[in-house]
Amino acid sequence: MNIDVQHLAKLARLRIEDEKLSKFEKDMESIVSMVEQLPDVTGDASGLDPEHPMKLREDVPAEDKLSRAELLANAPKMQAGCVVVPKTVE
Amino acid sequence: MELYEMSANELSLMLREKKCSSEEITRSVLDRIKSTDDKVGAYLTVCEENALSKAREVDAKFAKGEQLSPLAGIPIGIKDNISTKGVLTTCASKMLYNYVPPFDAFVIGRINAADMVITGKLNMDEFAMGSSTENSHFKKTHNPHDLDRVPGGSSGGSAAAVAAGSAVVTLGSDTGGSIRMPASYCGTVGLKPTYGAVSRYGLVAFASSLDQIGPLARNVTDAAMLFGTICGHDSMDATSADREYPDFAGKLNSDVKGLRIGVPKEYFGEGVDDSVKQAVMNTVRELEKKGAEIVDISLPSTKYALNAYYIISSAEASSNLARFDGVKYGYRTENYDSLIDMYEKTRSEGFGDEVKRRIMLGTFVLSSGFFDAYYKKAKLVAMKIVEEFNEAFGRCDIIATPATPGTAFRLGENMGDPTKMYAADICTVTVNIAGLPAVSVPCGKVNGLPAGLQFIGKKFDEQTLLNAAFAVEKLYGEARPVNV
Amino acid sequence: MEYETIVGLEVHAELNTKTKIYCSCRNAFGLEVNTQICPICTGMPGTLPTLNEKVVEYAVKMGHATNCSINNVCKQDRKNYFYPDLPKAYQISQADIPLCEHGYVDVMLDGGVEKRIGITRIHIEEDAGKMLHNDAFQGSLVDFNRCGVPLIEIVSEPDMRSSAEAKAYLETLKSILQYIDISDCKMQEGSIRCDVNVSVRPKGSTEFGKRVEMKNVNSFSGAMRAIDYESRRQIEALERGEEIFQETRRWDDLKGENFLLRSKEDAQDYRYFPEPDLTTIYIPLEKVEELKKTIPELPNAKVKRYVKELGIPQTDAELIAENLQRCGLFDECVSIGGVSPKTVSNWILADVSKYMNETGKDISGSNLTAEKLVKIIKLIEDGKISNNSGKIIFDEIMKNNADIDAVISEKGLSQISDDSAIEKIVNEVLAANEKSVSDYRGGKTNALGFLVGQCMKASRGQANPAKCKELVLKYLNG
């Protein structure tokens, strides 16, 4: 199958350099042609399992909280207590 | 014998008999790291100061006569995708080269509560994607049995450290074989627990429905002790099972009389080295001599397992790894002129090629128009695999297979061809798809390299698995650190 | 050609639970940036979601209140897209199996006409954070406080035919949300938001036209403007012979226009798949029924009852019913009884509403009780105090929590309604003003007002003015 690597890269917010494109295309094609070999099966794949339902969390606020400084200590760029990103409006 | 060569079980006894201190053990292991790690490359971060201060703290507790856990004072190394508060957790990726978590993973909470001594963070394939640890952004890890060979992956650092004696025990993670495969290549014991037995909270997710944290050790007793320390319910993980667990180490029993061992023909077919098949079957026959019953079984959907695995794991990974975008933590590209530009450059520069391939595969199988043909079908195949295991477990108690289709390959040997690399997971992925527990235990050597036998068990029946592995260990003896 | 406008709405309502949907951070608005956050809602590596049980309960309640069937076995899915306010780069939502579906609400249109609007589905999901923009600053700032605030998305069928119908539908949803107390519905805080889908077709046609989705609609009146604008835009395009494309547009309420955001070709591929970190949501049927029993009488039923059983005019009934505080007070007053429901309604819509609007306070947080309001109205209806005095007493209660009887005696508000006492005053006044009496009899009828005024003055304002007038007239005409 022909895999549109550039389209996938765009969806995944990746950028594939031109010189690597043909290698990625070749790899992706061989990977996809490997994994697409699946039997013809049909059925419900939703995986619902009401016999083993999820235990839900009680609606009680946590008391011990990390500070803003601790939580955002890894952020590459901060200003006024906020994480900074390039200007963007949607 | 040096302290670093001892097992956790032996050291635990020595600490209680005051034959040594935790500080002495820790220094012995730290020295071993210094003398071997430039060749093995198991560690990404060594926590010398923290380790020594924790060891001294434990020694003080012992001196006061406090009742401590069996693993108190024992050094442990942690795979670098398990969050450690205040200590770099990089997932061996440039993307997280500077990431220091502000919280501990659930298992680290347990390790700390058990007063174990964390010696450092271990190398791995980037974001646990790989079968050789060659995909680490930082360095390659070498197999201590043969430095020209890979240790397996993705928990290559965890297996190599145990094999080299630069850790007594370690934690790894297993999504498609990432504990069992390197354990097999490095001649150590590796346990992949039942899905839900160990909380995933704080494990940087690769494929959420398949990931499990588990122990690697030089013997079954140590693995059982460590597993007993980290298993149990965690309300922070909705997929964590709420149940009681036995004292695995205390109940270890190598008697295999009456144990029905299923041997599935699909795991002994094409693609698996004859010498490995032989090593595994020889071992199974030894167990038969000791009273085990061999049952021929069939797991016909095994041939689709690898494909289903790569679809499901990559789909989940493509979503799990989307959060690495340069906004909140980790790497951000230097120069960018818009949000999209920042995203694309950050992710392209931050991720290695294998991670990119998996993200693109995952993006592809979930994308509009392809979901049903790939993801949904893979899920249906997974359900079929579960059914077949259930059926098989009606006729046997555990299943024996090779842990890997071959022994450790040479560095660089499979790097050019991703699908060839993926094939190394052929024996292990079904277990993750079915959420079952499995252990890899050394079953002798093939051409001078360790071979691993895999036992697959029923859900939450780790005891039977560990007992069978214990029986195999009696045949070949416990592993000791190899000369590097 | 005549056209028909087709409107469908996707309403997002923030739920007023104590904690967020997937972590134990407080669900609170308006606090300092990035202070209501934790590793989970900021998407730190290795963190996992745990679903808040109240979110499920609240959504089921909304399902009951909108006549939905409840999928008591369901799951959550990931919706994948990149944006800085979405730290995990996916939103946990529900795709193919929503918690509630196939429901409806009846909305009241102008003139008391009722219309049924179908509810396609209601599902639970998490809110995103907030982007802060400032012209003085090079970049955009991200505040994660709102990340993980629980939302329900209520998707309607394309059953509305005008902006007015859309507004009536939105008002109905809002009052239901408030009645069952699952959302604060504060528009200015963005706790209800909606996406608007508009298409047009020639009147009489049964096929739908191409649908345009509008984002960034932040108020009900904005929704009306956006619908009117978009419907006009599409009709004008069709009139010019142009084609309408399925696309997403952004509404700019200040400019009163919308702009193309993305065309169908650029439609995002969200790559939904089941959320592997969460397993099956299962609500036992007994619990589903138990939640149904908690649903109070809803606004529409109230309006009908007010009009039919209590004789309240339609518009007044709607005004009372649309606000939970107002209708709560009204229902209580009516159940105490002894006063005309119409009078109670008038008081609530006038004085009580004025007080609420001016002070921004709730009735529940004020000094007013149903007992007090009924007592004031009864005193007026019995002629014991004047209408004006009633208002004075009301103010005293609201300001100083005054005792009604004490205000009446301190301010001398009690009204003389006793016939013999008033007759005595009337006789004295008429005797002292013979000229006015003869003026009146001579045809100068405005002398009546003067004479009544003199009676009131003589009683120092305490005589019942109606009674005074009645007796003066009786004498003059007698």
Side-chain angles (χ1 to χ4, degrees), chain C residues 10-59:
Chain C
E10 291 164 23
V11 175
H12 290 87
E14 287 182 351
L15 302 180
N16 57 9
T17 52
K18 291 189 185 73
T19 64
K20 291 184 176 181
I21 182 166
Y22 300 118
C23 66
S24 302
C25 284
R26 273 177 206 286
N27 173 19
F29 177 84
L31 297 169
E32 200 187 332
V33 293
N34 290 315
T35 54
Q36 306 303 306
I37 58 172
C38 74
I40 298 168
C41 57
T42 51
M44 302 209 80
T47 57
L48 299 170
T50 50
L51 178 58
N52 183 343
E53 63 181 359
K54 280 281 177 278
V55 172
V56 175
E57 288 179 16
Y58 283 14

Side-chain angles (χ1 to χ4, degrees), chain B residues 143-300:
Chain B
N143 192 320
H145 290 270
D146 178 347
L147 295 175
D148 293 333
R149 290 179 188 268
V150 300
S154 68
S155 309
S158 302
V162 168
S166 53
V168 179
V169 290
T170 59
L171 286 184
S173 70
D174 190 316
T175 306
S178 281
I179 287 174
R180 291 158 287 156
M181 185 227 230
S184 163
Y185 280 7
C186 293
T188 69
V189 177
L191 173 70
K192 182 262 161 194
T194 309
Y195 187 76
V198 180
S199 167
R200 293 182 295 116
Y201 194 85
L203 169 69
V204 181
F206 162 9
S208 312
S209 71
L210 306 168
D211 295 342
Q212 267 299 281
I213 297 172
L216 291 99
R218 288 188 292 269
N219 67 41
V220 175
T221 310
D222 286 7
M225 285 168 82
L226 183 51
F227 175 53
T229 303
I230 60 171
C231 68
H233 182 241
D234 176 14
S235 59
M236 302 280 275
D237 176 357
T239 64
S240 161
D242 192 359
R243 58 187 291 129
E244 295 297 316
Y245 295 87
D247 170 14
F248 297 104
K251 290 192 164 172
L252 271 184
N253 181 349
S254 62
D255 184 1
V256 292
K257 218 163 277 149
L259 182 73
R260 297 174 302 165
I261 303 175
V263 177
K265 58 175 187 281
E266 291 81 3
Y267 286 75
F268 294 85
E270 226 182 298
V272 182
D273 286 358
D274 285 341
S275 49
V276 171
K277 287 180 208 169
Q278 217 165 27
V280 171
M281 279 319 292
N282 286 346
T283 308
V284 171
R285 283 199 196 93
E286 287 300 317
L287 296 179
E288 189 179 21
K289 283 183 205 157
K290 296 193 180 300
E293 188 190 325
I294 310 299
V295 185
D296 287 329
I297 58 166
S298 174
L299 298 164

Side-chain angles (χ1 to χ4, degrees), chain B residues 429-449:
Chain B
V429 293
T430 48
V431 166
N432 301 75
I433 287 175
L436 301 174
V439 66
S440 172
V441 60
C443 62
K445 287 200 168 185
V446 169
N447 304 326
L449 291 167

Side-chain angles (χ1 to χ4, degrees), chain C residues 176-237:
Chain C
I176 293 174
L177 289 164
Q178 286 174 323
Y179 266 57
I180 61 176
D181 192 20
I182 62 168
S183 175
D184 293 338
C185 295
K186 291 185 179 147
M187 302 299 293
Q188 67 279 14
E189 295 181 4
S191 58
I192 312 189
R193 306 186 288 272
C194 67
D195 295 339
V196 181
N197 292 304
V198 176
S199 66
V200 298
R201 66 182 175 194
K203 210 156 191 146
S205 163
T206 50
E207 271 171 43
F208 288 114
K210 285 272 170 31
R211 178 172 66 101
V212 169
E213 181 179 6
M214 263 180 300
K215 300 260 179 203
N216 196 43
V217 176
N218 296 318
S219 67
F220 290 179
S221 53
M224 289 185 78
R225 287 189 287 275
I227 292 165
D228 289 337
Y229 174 88
E230 178 58 22
S231 146
R232 213 162 42 239
R233 190 189 71 81
Q234 291 185 22
I235 291 168
E236 283 169 12

Side-chain angles (χ1 to χ4, degrees), chain B residues 394-411:
Chain B
R395 299 174 52 221
C396 62
D397 303 312
I398 56 168
I399 293 168
T401 77
T404 48
T407 50
F409 48 87
R410 288 182 188 283
L411 284 150

